[in-house]
Amino acid sequence: MKKLAMVLSTILLIAMLAACGNSGEKASSNGGDESASNGGESKVIKAGIGLNDQHPQYKGLLKFKEIVEEKTDGAITVETYHSGQLGDDRSMTEALQLGTQEVTVPSTAPLANFVPEFSVFDIPFLFPNEEVADTVLDGEVGQELLQKLESQNLVGLSYWENGFRDLTNSERAVATMEDFDGLKIRTMENDLHLDAFKALGANPTPMAFTELFTALQQGTVDGQENPYATIYLQKFYEVQNHVSNTHHIYSPFVFLMSKSFYDGLTEDQQKIMKEAAVEAGKYERKLNREANDKYLQSLQDEGMEYTEITPEAREEMVKAVAPVIDEYKGQIGEETVDKVYKAIEEAQK
Ligand code: TK8
C-alpha cells in the first residue's frame, strides 16, 4: 500500500513537471537554448497523421516543421508522428478540440462529422481533375469552408491532397457495376460514402484507417478504396489482389490546428503557421501527384491485377449514386453545394 502511494506520488510529480515544461514559462527540453534567445517562450507543436513516413503526407509535415522552426527561430518546435501513432483522423481531430494535440491533417470525409458542409467533397465524381480541385479548394468557397471549422474549436490553415480514390479487393476484378455486388468494402467514417457504396450494390462498413490493414488481412472486409500512393506505400498489395481505376472521389486533406493553441500565438507566429501550412501543402501536392502517377505500375509489379473501368460502367456508376447525392444536398447545405458546383464550372472555363 505504501509502495503504491509512493509510485502514485512520483507519477504525479512527473506529470506536474511535464505540465510545467509545456507551459512555456521555462525553456523546456524541447525548446532548448534557442528559445532562450526568444524571450524564453518555447512552444511545442505535436503534429500527427494517419499515413506512414514514406507517404507524401509525412514529407509535407516535415516541410511544415522545417519552415516553422526556421521562421520562428526555434521559438516553436514541431514534433512529428506518423502511422496513426497519436490516433486516427477522428480521434486526433478531437484531441485538437481538447487542446491535447496541436496539428493533424485528416481527410475531409471524417471531418464532415464535425462540420457537415465538408461532405460536399464526398459527392462522387465531383472534381474532373486535380487542377480544378486546387482552384476550388484554394478559392473562395474552399476558404469559406475552412472558416466554418472555428466554431468547432479548430483552425483550418490549408488544403493538402489525398487524391483520387481507387478500389482494391481480394475477391474479383471489378470492371462493371455488377462486380460491386455484395463486396464487403471498408469506407471512411462518412455517411455519404457509406450510402454511395450501398447504391453501387456493395456491402460497405465504415472503419478508421488505423484498423484497415488488419481488417483486410483477416478478411473482415474484402476491399477498400484509397489513392494508389496509399495502396502502395501502406503495402495493401500484400493483402489485396485486384485494383480498378474507379477514381470515384477526389479526397482532400485539411491542415488543422487546435484553435486554443493558435489563439495563444502572436500575430506574427499565426502568419508563419498559415504560410508554412500553405507552402508545405504545395510541396505535398506535387509529391503526391508524382507518387500517384507512378505507383499504379508498382502495384502491378507487386502482382496486383489491374482492371479498367469502362466509360459505360462509369456512366452507370454516376447514375446509381445520383439519388444519394440528391438525398444529401439538404444535409450538406444547398448553398455550399451550389457554390462548389459553380466554382468547378468557373475553374474549367
Ligand atoms: C489517413 C486517412 C486516409 C484516408 C482513409 O489518416 O481513411 O482511407 O484516405 O488516408 O486520412
Side-chain angles (χ1 to χ4, degrees):
M1 208 52 206
K2 219 170 147 190
K3 206 169 155 198
L4 182 69
M6 233 171 76
V7 171
L8 283 177
S9 60
T10 311
I11 291 172
L12 193 69
L13 190 71
I14 291 169
M16 277 165 66
L17 283 172
C20 189
N22 279 338
S23 74
E25 281 157 19
K26 279 197 266 175
S28 71
S29 57
N30 281 312
D33 292 337
E34 283 163 303
S35 64
S37 63
N38 284 287
E41 279 288 317
S42 165
K43 296 198 158 151
V44 179
I45 290 175
K46 273 203 298 316
I49 55 162
L51 296 171
N52 69 22
D53 61 352
Q54 301 304 304
H55 195 281
Q57 191 190 30
Y58 189 66
K59 307 208 164 129
L61 204 59
L62 291 178
K63 177 63 86 187
F64 173 78
K65 172 184 167 75
E66 182 191 314
I67 298 171
V68 165
E69 292 182 354
E70 194 199 307
K71 287 199 177 170
T72 64
D73 225 352
I76 299 176
T77 53
V78 183
E79 289 173 1
T80 58
Y81 299 87
H82 54 82
S83 308
Q85 287 165 320
L86 298 184
D88 56 55
D89 282 355
R90 187 198 272 259
S91 62
M92 287 193 283
T93 303
E94 283 165 357
L96 260 59
Q97 290 182 305
L98 293 170
T100 54
Q101 182 181 331
E102 288 71 35
V103 162
T104 188
V105 193
S107 294
T108 48
L111 210 50
N113 296 305
F114 299 83
V115 174
E117 285 90 339
F118 271 104
S119 230
V120 69
F121 302 127
D122 301 314
I123 293 178
F125 308 106
L126 182 72
F127 288 120
N129 57 51
E130 286 95 347
E131 290 68 34
V132 169
D134 286 355
T135 309
V136 174
L137 295 167
D138 300 343
E140 201 180 304
V141 63
Q143 301 305 302
E144 271 172 22
L145 284 170
L146 294 184
Q147 298 284 317
K148 292 190 194 288
L149 289 160
E150 298 224 354
S151 66
Q152 288 294 310
N153 240 344
L154 300 164
V155 181
L157 290 177
S158 65
Y159 289 97
W160 292 15
E161 173 175 283
N162 191 352
F164 280 100
R165 304 178 75 88
D166 294 293
L167 182 78
T168 70
N169 82 95
S170 56
E171 287 293 303
R172 55 179 172 260
V174 174
T176 66
M177 275 268 297
E178 288 72 54
D179 299 324
F180 278 91
D181 198 29
L183 264 192
K184 282 186 278 171
I185 297 172
R186 172 268 179 178
T187 69
M188 291 188 280
E189 296 171 285
N190 177 288
D191 292 342
L192 211 169
H193 281 238
L194 197 68
D195 285 341
F197 276 99
K198 279 186 192 156
L200 293 174
N203 179 6
T205 315
M207 190 186 290
F209 185 79
T210 41
E211 293 167 39
L212 180 53
F213 189 90
T214 309
L216 293 170
Q217 193 170 39
Q218 297 183 342
T220 318
V221 290
D222 304 320
Q224 64 87 44
E225 37 83 55
N226 255 296
Y228 299 137
T230 298
I231 300 168
Y232 182 72
L233 294 169
Q234 300 281 150
K235 294 194 165 40
F236 288 173
Y237 54 80
E238 288 181 355
V239 288
Q240 297 279 271
N241 313 324
H242 303 279
V243 55
S244 303
N245 65 337
T246 50
H247 264 50
H248 49 282
I249 274 174
Y250 175 87
S251 215
F253 282 136
V254 175
F255 188 98
L256 283 184
M257 188 166 274
S258 152
K259 187 167 185 306
S260 52
F261 177 80
Y262 182 83
D263 288 346
L265 300 175
T266 66
E267 239 172 75
D268 262 2
Q269 289 173 333
Q270 289 178 346
K271 232 180 97 201
I272 291 172
M273 293 304 134
K274 174 85 185 171
E275 283 165 8
V278 169
E279 201 51 43
K282 282 188 193 150
Y283 177 70
E284 188 268 352
R285 277 174 174 168
K286 180 170 168 288
L287 293 184
N288 200 55
R289 278 161 208 181
E290 288 166 7
N292 279 325
D293 281 348
K294 102 177 157 211
Y295 288 139
L296 175 58
Q297 185 54 50
S298 314
L299 290 174
Q300 294 171 80
D301 295 344
E302 292 294 340
M304 283 187 93
E305 185 196 340
Y306 172 56
T307 311
E308 270 193 30
I309 301 286
T310 62
E312 299 78 52
R314 197 178 304 274
E315 261 323 297
E316 263 194 285
M317 289 166 68
V318 170
K319 275 204 199 112
V321 297
V324 181
I325 299 171
D326 281 341
E327 191 190 315
Y328 272 85
K329 271 185 188 156
Q331 200 171 310
I332 301 168
E334 301 267 359
E335 200 194 324
T336 303
V337 175
D338 289 347
K339 271 191 184 168
V340 168
Y341 277 130
K342 265 209 198 96
I344 291 173
E345 227 179 273
E346 276 299 308
Q348 284 175 287
K349 276 186 187 159

